[in-house]
PDB file of all heavy atoms in Angstrom:
ATOM      1  N   LEU A 119       1.448  -4.163 -13.437  1.00 94.00           N
ATOM      2  CA  LEU A 119       0.196  -4.826 -13.065  1.00 94.00           C
ATOM      3  C   LEU A 119      -1.024  -3.993 -13.455  1.00 94.00           C
ATOM      4  O   LEU A 119      -2.152  -4.447 -13.299  1.00 94.00           O
ATOM      5  CB  LEU A 119       0.172  -5.075 -11.546  1.00 94.00           C
ATOM      6  CG  LEU A 119       1.315  -5.919 -10.979  1.00 94.00           C
ATOM      7  CD1 LEU A 119       1.205  -5.990  -9.455  1.00 94.00           C
ATOM      8  CD2 LEU A 119       1.317  -7.317 -11.575  1.00 94.00           C
ATOM      9  N   GLY A 120      -0.782  -2.762 -13.927  1.00 92.00           N
ATOM     10  CA  GLY A 120      -1.890  -1.878 -14.275  1.00 92.00           C
ATOM     11  C   GLY A 120      -2.636  -1.410 -13.035  1.00 92.00           C
ATOM     12  O   GLY A 120      -2.207  -1.639 -11.899  1.00 92.00           O
ATOM     13  N   HIS A 121      -3.760  -0.763 -13.259  1.00 90.00           N
ATOM     14  CA  HIS A 121      -4.598  -0.325 -12.143  1.00 90.00           C
ATOM     15  C   HIS A 121      -5.339  -1.514 -11.545  1.00 90.00           C
ATOM     16  O   HIS A 121      -5.699  -2.457 -12.251  1.00 90.00           O
ATOM     17  CB  HIS A 121      -5.636   0.704 -12.619  1.00 90.00           C
ATOM     18  CG  HIS A 121      -5.122   2.111 -12.603  1.00 90.00           C
ATOM     19  ND1 HIS A 121      -4.624   2.723 -11.486  1.00 90.00           N
ATOM     20  CD2 HIS A 121      -5.026   3.018 -13.609  1.00 90.00           C
ATOM     21  CE1 HIS A 121      -4.248   3.957 -11.779  1.00 90.00           C
ATOM     22  NE2 HIS A 121      -4.468   4.152 -13.057  1.00 90.00           N
ATOM     23  N   ALA A 122      -5.572  -1.474 -10.258  1.00 88.00           N
ATOM     24  CA  ALA A 122      -6.442  -2.468  -9.638  1.00 88.00           C
ATOM     25  C   ALA A 122      -7.870  -2.208 -10.124  1.00 88.00           C
ATOM     26  O   ALA A 122      -8.319  -1.064 -10.157  1.00 88.00           O
ATOM     27  CB  ALA A 122      -6.378  -2.372  -8.122  1.00 88.00           C
ATOM     28  N   GLU A 123      -8.562  -3.256 -10.497  1.00 85.00           N
ATOM     29  CA  GLU A 123      -9.897  -3.117 -11.082  1.00 85.00           C
ATOM     30  C   GLU A 123     -10.933  -2.628 -10.069  1.00 85.00           C
ATOM     31  O   GLU A 123     -11.897  -1.971 -10.415  1.00 85.00           O
ATOM     32  CB  GLU A 123     -10.346  -4.446 -11.689  1.00 85.00           C
ATOM     33  CG  GLU A 123      -9.536  -4.899 -12.894  1.00 85.00           C
ATOM     34  CD  GLU A 123      -9.686  -3.956 -14.074  1.00 85.00           C
ATOM     35  OE1 GLU A 123     -10.782  -3.396 -14.251  1.00 85.00           O
ATOM     36  OE2 GLU A 123      -8.700  -3.767 -14.810  1.00 85.00           O
ATOM     37  N   ASN A 124     -10.728  -2.963  -8.816  1.00 86.00           N
ATOM     38  CA  ASN A 124     -11.679  -2.581  -7.777  1.00 86.00           C
ATOM     39  C   ASN A 124     -10.960  -2.573  -6.429  1.00 86.00           C
ATOM     40  O   ASN A 124      -9.781  -2.921  -6.339  1.00 86.00           O
ATOM     41  CB  ASN A 124     -12.878  -3.548  -7.756  1.00 86.00           C
ATOM     42  CG  ASN A 124     -12.429  -4.998  -7.734  1.00 86.00           C
ATOM     43  OD1 ASN A 124     -11.683  -5.407  -6.846  1.00 86.00           O
ATOM     44  ND2 ASN A 124     -12.878  -5.776  -8.715  1.00 86.00           N
ATOM     45  N   ARG A 125     -11.666  -2.160  -5.370  1.00 84.00           N
ATOM     46  CA  ARG A 125     -11.035  -2.056  -4.060  1.00 84.00           C
ATOM     47  C   ARG A 125     -10.596  -3.422  -3.529  1.00 84.00           C
ATOM     48  O   ARG A 125      -9.578  -3.545  -2.859  1.00 84.00           O
ATOM     49  CB  ARG A 125     -12.006  -1.404  -3.058  1.00 84.00           C
ATOM     50  CG  ARG A 125     -12.420   0.001  -3.404  1.00 84.00           C
ATOM     51  CD  ARG A 125     -11.230   0.926  -3.569  1.00 84.00           C
ATOM     52  NE  ARG A 125     -10.539   1.219  -2.327  1.00 84.00           N
ATOM     53  CZ  ARG A 125      -9.472   2.017  -2.243  1.00 84.00           C
ATOM     54  NH1 ARG A 125      -8.968   2.557  -3.335  1.00 84.00           N
ATOM     55  NH2 ARG A 125      -8.898   2.246  -1.078  1.00 84.00           N
ATOM     56  N   ARG A 126     -11.358  -4.444  -3.841  1.00 84.00           N
ATOM     57  CA  ARG A 126     -10.991  -5.783  -3.378  1.00 84.00           C
ATOM     58  C   ARG A 126      -9.633  -6.181  -3.946  1.00 84.00           C
ATOM     59  O   ARG A 126      -8.765  -6.669  -3.231  1.00 84.00           O
ATOM     60  CB  ARG A 126     -12.058  -6.802  -3.783  1.00 84.00           C
ATOM     61  CG  ARG A 126     -11.785  -8.208  -3.263  1.00 84.00           C
ATOM     62  CD  ARG A 126     -12.858  -9.197  -3.726  1.00 84.00           C
ATOM     63  NE  ARG A 126     -12.730 -10.469  -3.050  1.00 84.00           N
ATOM     64  CZ  ARG A 126     -11.855 -11.410  -3.385  1.00 84.00           C
ATOM     65  NH1 ARG A 126     -11.026 -11.198  -4.400  1.00 84.00           N
ATOM     66  NH2 ARG A 126     -11.795 -12.550  -2.732  1.00 84.00           N
ATOM     67  N   GLU A 127      -9.455  -5.970  -5.235  1.00 87.00           N
ATOM     68  CA  GLU A 127      -8.183  -6.305  -5.863  1.00 87.00           C
ATOM     69  C   GLU A 127      -7.057  -5.419  -5.328  1.00 87.00           C
ATOM     70  O   GLU A 127      -5.913  -5.864  -5.159  1.00 87.00           O
ATOM     71  CB  GLU A 127      -8.279  -6.141  -7.390  1.00 87.00           C
ATOM     72  CG  GLU A 127      -7.000  -6.533  -8.111  1.00 87.00           C
ATOM     73  CD  GLU A 127      -7.087  -6.331  -9.618  1.00 87.00           C
ATOM     74  OE1 GLU A 127      -8.213  -6.125 -10.131  1.00 87.00           O
ATOM     75  OE2 GLU A 127      -6.024  -6.364 -10.270  1.00 87.00           O
ATOM     76  N   TYR A 128      -7.386  -4.156  -5.067  1.00 88.00           N
ATOM     77  CA  TYR A 128      -6.404  -3.209  -4.535  1.00 88.00           C
ATOM     78  C   TYR A 128      -5.846  -3.717  -3.204  1.00 88.00           C
ATOM     79  O   TYR A 128      -4.630  -3.792  -3.000  1.00 88.00           O
ATOM     80  CB  TYR A 128      -7.097  -1.858  -4.352  1.00 88.00           C
ATOM     81  CG  TYR A 128      -6.231  -0.747  -3.798  1.00 88.00           C
ATOM     82  CD1 TYR A 128      -5.174  -0.222  -4.540  1.00 88.00           C
ATOM     83  CD2 TYR A 128      -6.499  -0.184  -2.552  1.00 88.00           C
ATOM     84  CE1 TYR A 128      -4.396   0.817  -4.046  1.00 88.00           C
ATOM     85  CE2 TYR A 128      -5.729   0.854  -2.045  1.00 88.00           C
ATOM     86  CZ  TYR A 128      -4.682   1.356  -2.807  1.00 88.00           C
ATOM     87  OH  TYR A 128      -3.917   2.384  -2.306  1.00 88.00           O
ATOM     88  N   TYR A 129      -6.729  -4.113  -2.269  1.00 87.00           N
ATOM     89  CA  TYR A 129      -6.288  -4.639  -0.986  1.00 87.00           C
ATOM     90  C   TYR A 129      -5.575  -5.975  -1.156  1.00 87.00           C
ATOM     91  O   TYR A 129      -4.607  -6.275  -0.461  1.00 87.00           O
ATOM     92  CB  TYR A 129      -7.476  -4.804  -0.031  1.00 87.00           C
ATOM     93  CG  TYR A 129      -8.067  -3.504   0.427  1.00 87.00           C
ATOM     94  CD1 TYR A 129      -9.399  -3.186   0.190  1.00 87.00           C
ATOM     95  CD2 TYR A 129      -7.291  -2.565   1.115  1.00 87.00           C
ATOM     96  CE1 TYR A 129      -9.942  -1.984   0.605  1.00 87.00           C
ATOM     97  CE2 TYR A 129      -7.824  -1.367   1.528  1.00 87.00           C
ATOM     98  CZ  TYR A 129      -9.147  -1.081   1.274  1.00 87.00           C
ATOM     99  OH  TYR A 129      -9.682   0.113   1.690  1.00 87.00           O
ATOM    100  N   GLN A 130      -6.061  -6.774  -2.104  1.00 88.00           N
ATOM    101  CA  GLN A 130      -5.458  -8.094  -2.311  1.00 88.00           C
ATOM    102  C   GLN A 130      -3.985  -7.973  -2.712  1.00 88.00           C
ATOM    103  O   GLN A 130      -3.145  -8.779  -2.306  1.00 88.00           O
ATOM    104  CB  GLN A 130      -6.221  -8.858  -3.389  1.00 88.00           C
ATOM    105  CG  GLN A 130      -5.838 -10.320  -3.490  1.00 88.00           C
ATOM    106  CD  GLN A 130      -6.313 -11.115  -2.279  1.00 88.00           C
ATOM    107  OE1 GLN A 130      -7.476 -11.055  -1.915  1.00 88.00           O
ATOM    108  NE2 GLN A 130      -5.406 -11.858  -1.659  1.00 88.00           N
ATOM    109  N   ARG A 131      -3.679  -6.943  -3.486  1.00 90.00           N
ATOM    110  CA  ARG A 131      -2.292  -6.766  -3.922  1.00 90.00           C
ATOM    111  C   ARG A 131      -1.375  -6.470  -2.743  1.00 90.00           C
ATOM    112  O   ARG A 131      -0.262  -6.992  -2.667  1.00 90.00           O
ATOM    113  CB  ARG A 131      -2.205  -5.661  -4.978  1.00 90.00           C
ATOM    114  CG  ARG A 131      -2.829  -6.066  -6.303  1.00 90.00           C
ATOM    115  CD  ARG A 131      -2.602  -5.033  -7.386  1.00 90.00           C
ATOM    116  NE  ARG A 131      -3.296  -5.407  -8.610  1.00 90.00           N
ATOM    117  CZ  ARG A 131      -3.234  -4.709  -9.750  1.00 90.00           C
ATOM    118  NH1 ARG A 131      -2.502  -3.610  -9.800  1.00 90.00           N
ATOM    119  NH2 ARG A 131      -3.888  -5.110 -10.816  1.00 90.00           N
ATOM    120  N   PHE A 132      -1.818  -5.634  -1.817  1.00 91.00           N
ATOM    121  CA  PHE A 132      -1.011  -5.376  -0.620  1.00 91.00           C
ATOM    122  C   PHE A 132      -0.778  -6.676   0.150  1.00 91.00           C
ATOM    123  O   PHE A 132       0.320  -6.927   0.658  1.00 91.00           O
ATOM    124  CB  PHE A 132      -1.713  -4.372   0.304  1.00 91.00           C
ATOM    125  CG  PHE A 132      -1.678  -2.961  -0.183  1.00 91.00           C
ATOM    126  CD1 PHE A 132      -2.844  -2.284  -0.502  1.00 91.00           C
ATOM    127  CD2 PHE A 132      -0.469  -2.279  -0.319  1.00 91.00           C
ATOM    128  CE1 PHE A 132      -2.818  -0.972  -0.934  1.00 91.00           C
ATOM    129  CE2 PHE A 132      -0.428  -0.963  -0.750  1.00 91.00           C
ATOM    130  CZ  PHE A 132      -1.613  -0.311  -1.060  1.00 91.00           C
ATOM    131  N   PHE A 133      -1.816  -7.491   0.228  1.00 88.00           N
ATOM    132  CA  PHE A 133      -1.741  -8.739   0.980  1.00 88.00           C
ATOM    133  C   PHE A 133      -0.795  -9.729   0.308  1.00 88.00           C
ATOM    134  O   PHE A 133      -0.073 -10.468   0.991  1.00 88.00           O
ATOM    135  CB  PHE A 133      -3.144  -9.344   1.094  1.00 88.00           C
ATOM    136  CG  PHE A 133      -3.218 -10.551   1.981  1.00 88.00           C
ATOM    137  CD1 PHE A 133      -3.193 -10.405   3.363  1.00 88.00           C
ATOM    138  CD2 PHE A 133      -3.304 -11.823   1.452  1.00 88.00           C
ATOM    139  CE1 PHE A 133      -3.266 -11.517   4.202  1.00 88.00           C
ATOM    140  CE2 PHE A 133      -3.377 -12.938   2.280  1.00 88.00           C
ATOM    141  CZ  PHE A 133      -3.353 -12.783   3.657  1.00 88.00           C
ATOM    142  N   ASN A 134      -0.780  -9.748  -1.017  1.00 90.00           N
ATOM    143  CA  ASN A 134       0.029 -10.705  -1.765  1.00 90.00           C
ATOM    144  C   ASN A 134       1.490 -10.281  -1.915  1.00 90.00           C
ATOM    145  O   ASN A 134       2.323 -11.079  -2.321  1.00 90.00           O
ATOM    146  CB  ASN A 134      -0.563 -10.941  -3.154  1.00 90.00           C
ATOM    147  CG  ASN A 134      -1.857 -11.740  -3.109  1.00 90.00           C
ATOM    148  OD1 ASN A 134      -2.186 -12.333  -2.084  1.00 90.00           O
ATOM    149  ND2 ASN A 134      -2.591 -11.748  -4.194  1.00 90.00           N
TER     150      ASN A 134
END
Side-chain angles (χ1 to χ4, degrees):
L119 302 176
H121 273 303
E123 294 295 326
N124 50 57
R125 298 304 290 180
R126 183 182 190 280
E127 182 182 347
Y128 180 67
Y129 291 121
Q130 191 70 52
R131 290 186 184 183
F132 286 117
F133 187 76
N134 289 346

